[in-house]
Amino acid sequence: MADYDVVEVLQTLVDSAVELFDAEAGAIHLLDESGALRVVASTSDRSGFIGLLQLDAGEGPCIDAVTSGKLVTSESAEALRRRWPRFGEASREHGYAGVHAIPLRLRAEVIGSLNLFRETEGALNATDARGAQALADVATISVLQQRTITTALSAADQMQRALASRAAIEQAKGFVARALEVDIETARELLRRHARSTQRRLVDIGDAVVRGEIPVMTLLEAHP
């Protein structure tokens, strides 16, 4: 369990959810030690989308899902704007007509939310809603089990480690983007492919690239 990385677990979850439930983008927010929602995994690193996620953490479906512990789903872009004016308008500007927030919960404990952004209107149907909640529940159990196993670390320490891991990955993506003159999305994909092909953690690959232990051109040579 020493190599367990909560960020990678959550990234796998959000990637799978977007594919399974016909969404254009997705993200996961987790509560930090102060009770604030923080983005810890997303399918896009574009600044506009990240800004939308930050807005969602202040006013949007993810806050309601975490507060209520229940699925929050919008049926139309107009419904989004009526319920969350600023968030709804920002979603419309980015081309999203529907946003669905699924709580990461175990019994009464809610630790965050899985958020799916769709370009088509309509609520999640009953089957998809159950499937999305089941996927979120599995991820929640994984996170909480790791907190229990690693008894030397408090929940706050776990969150700080997750955020530090994400920060290291962000640094690596920026380094690769500059070195190879590619955009952030391409840099992210090159790092992730190399991590999968070598069966190493993404954060370890990123750290090795930044330190020069893995030549940055290796990423292109292995994954043209």
Side-chain angles (χ1 to χ4, degrees), residues 150-165:
T150 314
T151 54
L153 293 175
S154 67
D157 290 334
Q158 284 278 355
M159 172 59 70
Q160 287 304 311
R161 190 166 66 169
L163 293 174
S165 178

Side-chain angles (χ1 to χ4, degrees), residues 65-92:
V66 170
T67 302
S68 68
K70 298 178 181 179
L71 167 71
V72 176
T73 181
S74 63
E75 297 187 6
S76 68
E78 180 57 33
L80 267 178
R81 288 195 294 273
R82 283 199 307 268
R83 191 165 180 181
W84 307 284
R86 291 177 58 225
F87 176 76
E89 181 58 27
S91 295
R92 183 194 64 78

Side-chain angles (χ1 to χ4, degrees), residues 82-125:
R82 283 199 307 268
R83 191 165 180 181
W84 307 284
R86 291 177 58 225
F87 176 76
E89 181 58 27
S91 295
R92 183 194 64 78
E93 291 174 357
H94 285 81
Y96 301 120
V99 181
H100 312 294
I102 302 95
L104 298 182
R105 71 184 184 200
L106 181 64
R107 302 184 185 90
E109 183 172 7
V110 182
I111 62 172
S113 67
L114 163 65
N115 310 287
L116 301 176
F117 295 76
R118 302 170 84 176
E119 294 178 354
T120 55
E121 295 189 340
L124 283 177
N125 61 48

